[in-house]
Amino acid sequence: QKEVEQDPGPLSVPEGAIVSLNCTYSNSAFQYFMWYRQYSRKGPELLMYTYSSGNKEDGRFTAQVDKSSKYISLFIRDSQPSDSATYLCAPPRGFQKLVFGTGTRLLVSP
Amino acid sequence: NAGVTQTPKFQVLKTGQSMTLQCAQDMNHNSMYWYRQDPGMGLRLIYYSASEGTTDKGEVPNGYNVSRLNKREFSLRLESAAPSQTSVYFCASRYAGTGEQYFGPGTRLTVT
C-alpha cells in the first residue's frame, strides 16, 4: 500500500463548480500536509499547507484534514479554467523529505 | 530572482550514453533534491543533499550519481543511460523555515 494515495482522474467540471480533491494516507506520523499544483509541462509549486487538524482557507481554496480517517481534502470554490492542473498531496516525512501522491488531474471547462 | 534553474530542458540519448543534468538555486537553501516523474508513479526521490558536502539516496537511486558542487549547484549524472530512465527530471531546493520545496522547470529525457 502506498503511503499517500490519490485518484489520478481526470476530474472534469464546468467553470464555477465546487471541486473536491482527495488524498488518503496510511502513516499516522504525518503531522501536516502540503498541496502542490502542477501545470502541464511545469514544475510543481506549493498551493497551501495545513496541519493535521481542522481546516485552512486561502481565497477560493480550503484544505481539510480528518486525522481519524486519514483523509485530506482540497476544495476549490468557483473553479476557473486556470485551475486546470494536477494537484499533488505531499506530507513531509521527517525533516528533509516529502512523500508525494500521484496527483489528481483537474480539468475546468469554460 | 531565478529560483531553481535546470539545464537542459530536453535531451535525447541512446542506450549506454552518459549525461549530466545541471541544477542551480539562488535562494541560499541548504537542501536540494532530484526527482523523476513518470505517468502513474508520481514524483519519486532519486537523491538529495541536506547540505553542501553531503548526499543521500532516495527511493530510486540505482543508475544515477549526484554531486553537490557547492551550495548553489546539484548535478545528476546518468553513467550509462537505459530506456527505463526515460522520464521528466525535476530538481528542487528546500526552504528550511516551512519545509516548502521549490521546483525547477524540469528536464524531459528520452533514452532510445
Side-chain angles (χ1 to χ4, degrees):
Chain A
Q1 181 190 6
K2 292 183 180 179
E3 283 187 283
V4 178
E5 302 213 46
Q6 295 181 260
D7 185 328
L11 175 63
S12 296
V13 301
E15 183 176 355
I18 296 174
V19 175
S20 173
L21 301 165
N22 305 306
C23 176
T24 59
Y25 64 97
S26 59
N27 189 340
S28 299
F30 291 149
Q31 294 298 309
Y32 70 103
F33 302 87
M34 296 183 176
W35 281 98
Y36 278 78
R37 178 174 61 193
Q38 184 176 21
Y39 290 113
S40 180
R41 296 183 173 265
K42 301 287 187 185
E45 56 182 358
L46 182 68
L47 183 61
M48 62 191 301
Y49 64 89
T50 184
Y51 285 87
S52 60
S53 60
N55 298 349
K56 182 175 181 180
E57 189 172 320
D58 185 359
R60 295 185 295 112
F61 299 87
T62 300
Q64 188 175 77
V65 178
D66 182 344
K67 199 174 179 185
S68 62
S69 58
K70 298 189 178 68
Y71 195 84
I72 309 153
S73 299
L74 177 69
F75 298 98
I76 307 175
R77 290 186 301 280
D78 188 26
S79 57
Q80 302 295 310
S82 59
D83 295 326
S84 296
T86 297
Y87 291 80
L88 301 152
C89 173
R93 180 196 285 130
F95 187 64
Q96 288 287 346
K97 300 179 189 176
L98 293 175
V99 181
F100 283 92
T102 54
T104 298
R105 187 170 168 222
L106 172 66
L107 300 172
V108 182
S109 55
Chain B
N1 199 351
V4 180
T5 57
Q6 293 183 236
T7 56
K9 287 188 167 51
F10 303 92
Q11 184 70 48
V12 179
L13 292 178
K14 294 188 189 308
T15 298
Q17 287 185 318
S18 62
M19 79 161 296
T20 299
L21 281 64
Q22 306 286 354
C23 174
Q25 54 95 8
D26 63 2
M27 295 174 282
N28 202 36
H29 292 164
N30 286 320
S31 302
M32 297 185 72
Y33 304 79
W34 276 106
Y35 294 89
R36 59 178 290 174
Q37 187 174 39
D38 303 289
M41 301 294 289
L43 282 158
R44 292 184 292 169
L45 183 63
I46 305 171
Y47 272 93
Y48 69 102
S49 170
S51 62
E52 187 178 352
T54 69
T55 60
D56 285 286
K57 294 178 181 179
E59 193 182 348
V60 288
N62 291 344
Y64 305 95
N65 286 302
V66 291
S67 295
R68 183 73 183 267
L69 305 169
N70 48 54
K71 191 170 186 178
R72 291 187 63 247
E73 298 172 290
F74 188 37
S75 62
L76 178 72
R77 183 160 178 83
L78 286 70
E79 292 290 351
S80 179
S84 60
Q85 294 178 306
T86 293
S87 188
V88 182
Y89 292 85
F90 288 102
C91 177
S93 67
R94 179 180 175 276
Y95 172 54
T98 60
E100 176 181 357
Q101 292 187 16
Y102 292 78
F103 285 80
T107 294
R108 293 184 172 271
L109 175 68
T110 301
V111 183
T112 61

PDB file of all heavy atoms in Angstrom, chain A residues 26-54:
ATOM      1  N   SER A  26      -1.535   6.589   4.946  1.00  0.00           N
ATOM      2  CA  SER A  26      -1.503   5.437   5.848  1.00  0.00           C
ATOM      3  C   SER A  26      -0.603   5.660   7.066  1.00  0.00           C
ATOM      4  O   SER A  26      -0.726   4.930   8.052  1.00  0.00           O
ATOM      5  CB  SER A  26      -1.023   4.193   5.088  1.00  0.00           C
ATOM      6  OG  SER A  26       0.269   4.404   4.548  1.00  0.00           O
ATOM      7  N   ASN A  27       0.265   6.647   7.022  1.00  0.00           N
ATOM      8  CA  ASN A  27       1.243   6.849   8.079  1.00  0.00           C
ATOM      9  C   ASN A  27       0.708   7.840   9.118  1.00  0.00           C
ATOM     10  O   ASN A  27       0.590   9.030   8.852  1.00  0.00           O
ATOM     11  CB  ASN A  27       2.546   7.367   7.465  1.00  0.00           C
ATOM     12  CG  ASN A  27       3.693   7.392   8.458  1.00  0.00           C
ATOM     13  OD1 ASN A  27       3.477   7.383   9.669  1.00  0.00           O
ATOM     14  ND2 ASN A  27       4.902   7.424   7.950  1.00  0.00           N
ATOM     15  N   SER A  28       0.415   7.355  10.299  1.00  0.00           N
ATOM     16  CA  SER A  28      -0.146   8.201  11.363  1.00  0.00           C
ATOM     17  C   SER A  28       0.839   9.263  11.839  1.00  0.00           C
ATOM     18  O   SER A  28       0.454  10.211  12.508  1.00  0.00           O
ATOM     19  CB  SER A  28      -0.534   7.337  12.560  1.00  0.00           C
ATOM     20  OG  SER A  28      -1.500   6.398  12.197  1.00  0.00           O
ATOM     21  N   ALA A  29       2.113   9.099  11.504  1.00  0.00           N
ATOM     22  CA  ALA A  29       3.130  10.050  11.958  1.00  0.00           C
ATOM     23  C   ALA A  29       3.105  11.369  11.185  1.00  0.00           C
ATOM     24  O   ALA A  29       3.708  12.348  11.621  1.00  0.00           O
ATOM     25  CB  ALA A  29       4.519   9.413  11.847  1.00  0.00           C
ATOM     26  N   PHE A  30       2.420  11.401  10.051  1.00  0.00           N
ATOM     27  CA  PHE A  30       2.367  12.648   9.289  1.00  0.00           C
ATOM     28  C   PHE A  30       1.682  13.723  10.118  1.00  0.00           C
ATOM     29  O   PHE A  30       0.580  13.531  10.623  1.00  0.00           O
ATOM     30  CB  PHE A  30       1.634  12.443   7.968  1.00  0.00           C
ATOM     31  CG  PHE A  30       2.372  11.584   6.976  1.00  0.00           C
ATOM     32  CD1 PHE A  30       1.671  10.798   6.086  1.00  0.00           C
ATOM     33  CD2 PHE A  30       3.754  11.577   6.921  1.00  0.00           C
ATOM     34  CE1 PHE A  30       2.324  10.001   5.151  1.00  0.00           C
ATOM     35  CE2 PHE A  30       4.434  10.786   6.002  1.00  0.00           C
ATOM     36  CZ  PHE A  30       3.711   9.989   5.118  1.00  0.00           C
ATOM     37  N   GLN A  31       2.354  14.870  10.245  1.00  0.00           N
ATOM     38  CA  GLN A  31       1.856  15.936  11.105  1.00  0.00           C
ATOM     39  C   GLN A  31       1.191  17.060  10.335  1.00  0.00           C
ATOM     40  O   GLN A  31       0.320  17.745  10.875  1.00  0.00           O
ATOM     41  CB  GLN A  31       3.017  16.506  11.929  1.00  0.00           C
ATOM     42  CG  GLN A  31       3.598  15.522  12.926  1.00  0.00           C
ATOM     43  CD  GLN A  31       2.568  15.108  13.962  1.00  0.00           C
ATOM     44  OE1 GLN A  31       1.924  15.932  14.588  1.00  0.00           O
ATOM     45  NE2 GLN A  31       2.394  13.802  14.115  1.00  0.00           N
ATOM     46  N   TYR A  32       1.659  17.312   9.135  1.00  0.00           N
ATOM     47  CA  TYR A  32       0.985  18.320   8.338  1.00  0.00           C
ATOM     48  C   TYR A  32       1.123  17.965   6.873  1.00  0.00           C
ATOM     49  O   TYR A  32       1.859  17.047   6.520  1.00  0.00           O
ATOM     50  CB  TYR A  32       1.472  19.739   8.657  1.00  0.00           C
ATOM     51  CG  TYR A  32       2.870  20.085   8.226  1.00  0.00           C
ATOM     52  CD1 TYR A  32       3.108  20.852   7.104  1.00  0.00           C
ATOM     53  CD2 TYR A  32       3.969  19.696   9.001  1.00  0.00           C
ATOM     54  CE1 TYR A  32       4.377  21.214   6.726  1.00  0.00           C
ATOM     55  CE2 TYR A  32       5.244  20.047   8.629  1.00  0.00           C
ATOM     56  CZ  TYR A  32       5.448  20.819   7.504  1.00  0.00           C
ATOM     57  OH  TYR A  32       6.711  21.162   7.134  1.00  0.00           O
ATOM     58  N   PHE A  33       0.383  18.661   6.062  1.00  0.00           N
ATOM     59  CA  PHE A  33       0.208  18.239   4.675  1.00  0.00           C
ATOM     60  C   PHE A  33       0.315  19.446   3.752  1.00  0.00           C
ATOM     61  O   PHE A  33      -0.213  20.518   4.043  1.00  0.00           O
ATOM     62  CB  PHE A  33      -1.174  17.569   4.510  1.00  0.00           C
ATOM     63  CG  PHE A  33      -1.352  16.400   5.420  1.00  0.00           C
ATOM     64  CD1 PHE A  33      -1.832  16.574   6.706  1.00  0.00           C
ATOM     65  CD2 PHE A  33      -0.982  15.127   5.010  1.00  0.00           C
ATOM     66  CE1 PHE A  33      -1.958  15.494   7.575  1.00  0.00           C
ATOM     67  CE2 PHE A  33      -1.103  14.045   5.865  1.00  0.00           C
ATOM     68  CZ  PHE A  33      -1.590  14.231   7.149  1.00  0.00           C
ATOM     69  N   MET A  34       0.994  19.208   2.663  1.00  0.00           N
ATOM     70  CA  MET A  34       1.121  20.247   1.643  1.00  0.00           C
ATOM     71  C   MET A  34       0.329  19.851   0.409  1.00  0.00           C
ATOM     72  O   MET A  34       0.248  18.661   0.070  1.00  0.00           O
ATOM     73  CB  MET A  34       2.591  20.419   1.260  1.00  0.00           C
ATOM     74  CG  MET A  34       3.467  20.910   2.392  1.00  0.00           C
ATOM     75  SD  MET A  34       5.157  21.178   1.833  1.00  0.00           S
ATOM     76  CE  MET A  34       5.888  21.845   3.306  1.00  0.00           C
ATOM     77  N   TRP A  35      -0.249  20.840  -0.224  1.00  0.00           N
ATOM     78  CA  TRP A  35      -0.852  20.641  -1.543  1.00  0.00           C
ATOM     79  C   TRP A  35      -0.019  21.419  -2.566  1.00  0.00           C
ATOM     80  O   TRP A  35       0.199  22.620  -2.410  1.00  0.00           O
ATOM     81  CB  TRP A  35      -2.294  21.151  -1.575  1.00  0.00           C
ATOM     82  CG  TRP A  35      -3.274  20.215  -0.953  1.00  0.00           C
ATOM     83  CD1 TRP A  35      -3.776  20.282   0.318  1.00  0.00           C
ATOM     84  CD2 TRP A  35      -3.884  19.078  -1.558  1.00  0.00           C
ATOM     85  NE1 TRP A  35      -4.657  19.250   0.533  1.00  0.00           N
ATOM     86  CE2 TRP A  35      -4.747  18.498  -0.610  1.00  0.00           C
ATOM     87  CE3 TRP A  35      -3.795  18.479  -2.822  1.00  0.00           C
ATOM     88  CZ2 TRP A  35      -5.512  17.350  -0.859  1.00  0.00           C
ATOM     89  CZ3 TRP A  35      -4.559  17.342  -3.085  1.00  0.00           C
ATOM     90  CH2 TRP A  35      -5.399  16.795  -2.114  1.00  0.00           C
ATOM     91  N   TYR A  36       0.427  20.696  -3.579  1.00  0.00           N
ATOM     92  CA  TYR A  36       1.147  21.314  -4.673  1.00  0.00           C
ATOM     93  C   TYR A  36       0.255  21.309  -5.912  1.00  0.00           C
ATOM     94  O   TYR A  36      -0.527  20.379  -6.129  1.00  0.00           O
ATOM     95  CB  TYR A  36       2.448  20.545  -4.978  1.00  0.00           C
ATOM     96  CG  TYR A  36       3.596  20.895  -4.063  1.00  0.00           C
ATOM     97  CD1 TYR A  36       3.663  20.380  -2.774  1.00  0.00           C
ATOM     98  CD2 TYR A  36       4.607  21.748  -4.489  1.00  0.00           C
ATOM     99  CE1 TYR A  36       4.719  20.710  -1.929  1.00  0.00           C
ATOM    100  CE2 TYR A  36       5.669  22.078  -3.654  1.00  0.00           C
ATOM    101  CZ  TYR A  36       5.707  21.556  -2.381  1.00  0.00           C
ATOM    102  OH  TYR A  36       6.754  21.886  -1.546  1.00  0.00           O
ATOM    103  N   ARG A  37       0.438  22.323  -6.745  1.00  0.00           N
ATOM    104  CA  ARG A  37      -0.266  22.402  -8.018  1.00  0.00           C
ATOM    105  C   ARG A  37       0.778  22.341  -9.109  1.00  0.00           C
ATOM    106  O   ARG A  37       1.814  23.012  -9.038  1.00  0.00           O
ATOM    107  CB  ARG A  37      -1.060  23.715  -8.114  1.00  0.00           C
ATOM    108  CG  ARG A  37      -1.792  23.936  -9.414  1.00  0.00           C
ATOM    109  CD  ARG A  37      -2.655  25.193  -9.316  1.00  0.00           C
ATOM    110  NE  ARG A  37      -1.844  26.370  -9.064  1.00  0.00           N
ATOM    111  CZ  ARG A  37      -2.357  27.537  -8.684  1.00  0.00           C
ATOM    112  NH1 ARG A  37      -3.662  27.670  -8.514  1.00  0.00           N
ATOM    113  NH2 ARG A  37      -1.558  28.556  -8.485  1.00  0.00           N
ATOM    114  N   GLN A  38       0.495  21.530 -10.123  1.00  0.00           N
ATOM    115  CA  GLN A  38       1.436  21.385 -11.227  1.00  0.00           C
ATOM    116  C   GLN A  38       0.709  21.591 -12.546  1.00  0.00           C
ATOM    117  O   GLN A  38      -0.146  20.779 -12.920  1.00  0.00           O
ATOM    118  CB  GLN A  38       2.101  19.999 -11.199  1.00  0.00           C
ATOM    119  CG  GLN A  38       3.171  19.816 -12.265  1.00  0.00           C
ATOM    120  CD  GLN A  38       3.882  18.482 -12.174  1.00  0.00           C
ATOM    121  OE1 GLN A  38       3.377  17.535 -11.590  1.00  0.00           O
ATOM    122  NE2 GLN A  38       5.074  18.398 -12.749  1.00  0.00           N
ATOM    123  N   TYR A  39       1.063  22.666 -13.231  1.00  0.00           N
ATOM    124  CA  TYR A  39       0.533  22.892 -14.566  1.00  0.00           C
ATOM    125  C   TYR A  39       1.293  22.006 -15.554  1.00  0.00           C
ATOM    126  O   TYR A  39       2.432  21.603 -15.301  1.00  0.00           O
ATOM    127  CB  TYR A  39       0.650  24.362 -14.957  1.00  0.00           C
ATOM    128  CG  TYR A  39      -0.270  25.268 -14.189  1.00  0.00           C
ATOM    129  CD1 TYR A  39       0.219  26.218 -13.293  1.00  0.00           C
ATOM    130  CD2 TYR A  39      -1.651  25.183 -14.350  1.00  0.00           C
ATOM    131  CE1 TYR A  39      -0.628  27.053 -12.589  1.00  0.00           C
ATOM    132  CE2 TYR A  39      -2.508  26.015 -13.649  1.00  0.00           C
ATOM    133  CZ  TYR A  39      -1.995  26.944 -12.767  1.00  0.00           C
ATOM    134  OH  TYR A  39      -2.841  27.757 -12.066  1.00  0.00           O
ATOM    135  N   SER A  40       0.639  21.760 -16.684  1.00  0.00           N
ATOM    136  CA  SER A  40       1.221  20.870 -17.686  1.00  0.00           C
ATOM    137  C   SER A  40       2.603  21.362 -18.107  1.00  0.00           C
ATOM    138  O   SER A  40       2.793  22.548 -18.387  1.00  0.00           O
ATOM    139  CB  SER A  40       0.292  20.795 -18.899  1.00  0.00           C
ATOM    140  OG  SER A  40       0.813  19.947 -19.870  1.00  0.00           O
ATOM    141  N   ARG A  41       3.564  20.471 -18.090  1.00  0.00           N
ATOM    142  CA  ARG A  41       4.937  20.742 -18.518  1.00  0.00           C
ATOM    143  C   ARG A  41       5.647  21.792 -17.660  1.00  0.00           C
ATOM    144  O   ARG A  41       6.534  22.511 -18.132  1.00  0.00           O
ATOM    145  CB  ARG A  41       4.982  21.134 -19.995  1.00  0.00           C
ATOM    146  CG  ARG A  41       4.530  19.994 -20.883  1.00  0.00           C
ATOM    147  CD  ARG A  41       4.620  20.314 -22.358  1.00  0.00           C
ATOM    148  NE  ARG A  41       4.330  19.117 -23.138  1.00  0.00           N
ATOM    149  CZ  ARG A  41       5.256  18.292 -23.609  1.00  0.00           C
ATOM    150  NH1 ARG A  41       6.533  18.535 -23.418  1.00  0.00           N
ATOM    151  NH2 ARG A  41       4.916  17.219 -24.293  1.00  0.00           N
ATOM    152  N   LYS A  42       5.227  21.878 -16.396  1.00  0.00           N
ATOM    153  CA  LYS A  42       5.872  22.791 -15.450  1.00  0.00           C
ATOM    154  C   LYS A  42       6.250  22.014 -14.194  1.00  0.00           C
ATOM    155  O   LYS A  42       5.785  20.890 -13.979  1.00  0.00           O
ATOM    156  CB  LYS A  42       4.920  23.926 -15.058  1.00  0.00           C
ATOM    157  CG  LYS A  42       4.425  24.767 -16.220  1.00  0.00           C
ATOM    158  CD  LYS A  42       5.503  25.664 -16.758  1.00  0.00           C
ATOM    159  CE  LYS A  42       4.941  26.620 -17.799  1.00  0.00           C
ATOM    160  NZ  LYS A  42       6.012  27.429 -18.423  1.00  0.00           N
ATOM    161  N   GLY A  43       7.071  22.625 -13.353  1.00  0.00           N
ATOM    162  CA  GLY A  43       7.371  22.030 -12.064  1.00  0.00           C
ATOM    163  C   GLY A  43       6.249  22.299 -11.066  1.00  0.00           C
ATOM    164  O   GLY A  43       5.498  23.263 -11.207  1.00  0.00           O
ATOM    165  N   PRO A  44       6.103  21.445 -10.048  1.00  0.00           N
ATOM    166  CA  PRO A  44       5.083  21.683  -9.014  1.00  0.00           C
ATOM    167  C   PRO A  44       5.388  22.960  -8.233  1.00  0.00           C
ATOM    168  O   PRO A  44       6.546  23.332  -8.071  1.00  0.00           O
ATOM    169  CB  PRO A  44       5.207  20.454  -8.102  1.00  0.00           C
ATOM    170  CG  PRO A  44       5.939  19.435  -8.910  1.00  0.00           C
ATOM    171  CD  PRO A  44       6.835  20.191  -9.821  1.00  0.00           C
ATOM    172  N   GLU A  45       4.341  23.595  -7.732  1.00  0.00           N
ATOM    173  CA  GLU A  45       4.508  24.766  -6.865  1.00  0.00           C
ATOM    174  C   GLU A  45       3.547  24.621  -5.693  1.00  0.00           C
ATOM    175  O   GLU A  45       2.438  24.095  -5.844  1.00  0.00           O
ATOM    176  CB  GLU A  45       4.247  26.058  -7.632  1.00  0.00           C
ATOM    177  CG  GLU A  45       2.905  26.118  -8.297  1.00  0.00           C
ATOM    178  CD  GLU A  45       2.691  27.394  -9.098  1.00  0.00           C
ATOM    179  OE1 GLU A  45       3.584  28.259  -9.111  1.00  0.00           O
ATOM    180  OE2 GLU A  45       1.624  27.521  -9.703  1.00  0.00           O
ATOM    181  N   LEU A  46       3.983  25.091  -4.529  1.00  0.00           N
ATOM    182  CA  LEU A  46       3.168  24.951  -3.331  1.00  0.00           C
ATOM    183  C   LEU A  46       1.911  25.799  -3.441  1.00  0.00           C
ATOM    184  O   LEU A  46       1.979  26.997  -3.735  1.00  0.00           O
ATOM    185  CB  LEU A  46       3.966  25.359  -2.094  1.00  0.00           C
ATOM    186  CG  LEU A  46       3.215  25.205  -0.775  1.00  0.00           C
ATOM    187  CD1 LEU A  46       2.991  23.720  -0.468  1.00  0.00           C
ATOM    188  CD2 LEU A  46       3.977  25.880   0.360  1.00  0.00           C
ATOM    189  N   LEU A  47       0.777  25.181  -3.172  1.00  0.00           N
ATOM    190  CA  LEU A  47      -0.504  25.888  -3.168  1.00  0.00           C
ATOM    191  C   LEU A  47      -0.855  26.312  -1.738  1.00  0.00           C
ATOM    192  O   LEU A  47      -1.160  27.461  -1.468  1.00  0.00           O
ATOM    193  CB  LEU A  47      -1.587  24.974  -3.743  1.00  0.00           C
ATOM    194  CG  LEU A  47      -2.979  25.532  -3.901  1.00  0.00           C
ATOM    195  CD1 LEU A  47      -2.985  26.715  -4.846  1.00  0.00           C
ATOM    196  CD2 LEU A  47      -3.928  24.450  -4.412  1.00  0.00           C
ATOM    197  N   MET A  48      -0.802  25.359  -0.827  1.00  0.00           N
ATOM    198  CA  MET A  48      -1.066  25.659   0.572  1.00  0.00           C
ATOM    199  C   MET A  48      -0.667  24.463   1.423  1.00  0.00           C
ATOM    200  O   MET A  48      -0.437  23.371   0.903  1.00  0.00           O
ATOM    201  CB  MET A  48      -2.532  26.021   0.813  1.00  0.00           C
ATOM    202  CG  MET A  48      -3.525  24.946   0.492  1.00  0.00           C
ATOM    203  SD  MET A  48      -5.224  25.575   0.511  1.00  0.00           S
ATOM    204  CE  MET A  48      -5.405  26.190   2.182  1.00  0.00           C
ATOM    205  N   TYR A  49      -0.572  24.703   2.729  1.00  0.00           N
ATOM    206  CA  TYR A  49      -0.319  23.578   3.632  1.00  0.00           C
ATOM    207  C   TYR A  49      -1.216  23.718   4.853  1.00  0.00           C
ATOM    208  O   TYR A  49      -1.687  24.814   5.183  1.00  0.00           O
ATOM    209  CB  TYR A  49       1.153  23.469   4.013  1.00  0.00           C
ATOM    210  CG  TYR A  49       1.713  24.632   4.794  1.00  0.00           C
ATOM    211  CD1 TYR A  49       1.661  24.652   6.189  1.00  0.00           C
ATOM    212  CD2 TYR A  49       2.336  25.688   4.148  1.00  0.00           C
ATOM    213  CE1 TYR A  49       2.193  25.699   6.899  1.00  0.00           C
ATOM    214  CE2 TYR A  49       2.879  26.737   4.854  1.00  0.00           C
ATOM    215  CZ  TYR A  49       2.804  26.744   6.228  1.00  0.00           C
ATOM    216  OH  TYR A  49       3.340  27.789   6.931  1.00  0.00           O
ATOM    217  N   THR A  50      -1.447  22.591   5.511  1.00  0.00           N
ATOM    218  CA  THR A  50      -2.325  22.589   6.670  1.00  0.00           C
ATOM    219  C   THR A  50      -1.844  21.545   7.665  1.00  0.00           C
ATOM    220  O   THR A  50      -1.276  20.527   7.276  1.00  0.00           O
ATOM    221  CB  THR A  50      -3.784  22.298   6.255  1.00  0.00           C
ATOM    222  OG1 THR A  50      -4.614  22.387   7.389  1.00  0.00           O
ATOM    223  CG2 THR A  50      -3.928  20.921   5.644  1.00  0.00           C
ATOM    224  N   TYR A  51      -2.081  21.826   8.934  1.00  0.00           N
ATOM    225  CA  TYR A  51      -1.696  20.886   9.968  1.00  0.00           C
ATOM    226  C   TYR A  51      -2.775  19.814  10.119  1.00  0.00           C
ATOM    227  O   TYR A  51      -3.871  19.936   9.576  1.00  0.00           O
ATOM    228  CB  TYR A  51      -1.424  21.617  11.289  1.00  0.00           C
ATOM    229  CG  TYR A  51      -0.109  22.339  11.245  1.00  0.00           C
ATOM    230  CD1 TYR A  51      -0.025  23.625  10.735  1.00  0.00           C
ATOM    231  CD2 TYR A  51       1.065  21.714  11.668  1.00  0.00           C
ATOM    232  CE1 TYR A  51       1.191  24.276  10.661  1.00  0.00           C
ATOM    233  CE2 TYR A  51       2.279  22.361  11.598  1.00  0.00           C
ATOM    234  CZ  TYR A  51       2.337  23.634  11.094  1.00  0.00           C
ATOM    235  OH  TYR A  51       3.541  24.272  11.016  1.00  0.00           O
ATOM    236  N   SER A  52      -2.456  18.784  10.863  1.00  0.00           N
ATOM    237  CA  SER A  52      -3.274  17.567  10.862  1.00  0.00           C
ATOM    238  C   SER A  52      -4.535  17.693  11.706  1.00  0.00           C
ATOM    239  O   SER A  52      -4.965  16.754  12.339  1.00  0.00           O
ATOM    240  CB  SER A  52      -2.452  16.378  11.339  1.00  0.00           C
ATOM    241  OG  SER A  52      -1.980  16.585  12.642  1.00  0.00           O
ATOM    242  N   SER A  53      -5.138  18.861  11.726  1.00  0.00           N
ATOM    243  CA  SER A  53      -6.433  19.001  12.374  1.00  0.00           C
ATOM    244  C   SER A  53      -7.124  20.222  11.782  1.00  0.00           C
ATOM    245  O   SER A  53      -6.495  21.247  11.563  1.00  0.00           O
ATOM    246  CB  SER A  53      -6.275  19.174  13.887  1.00  0.00           C
ATOM    247  OG  SER A  53      -5.516  20.313  14.179  1.00  0.00           O
ATOM    248  N   GLY A  54      -8.415  20.079  11.526  1.00  0.00           N
ATOM    249  CA  GLY A  54      -9.181  21.234  11.107  1.00  0.00           C
ATOM    250  C   GLY A  54      -8.991  21.648   9.671  1.00  0.00           C
ATOM    251  O   GLY A  54      -8.531  20.887   8.827  1.00  0.00           O
TER     252      GLY A  54
END
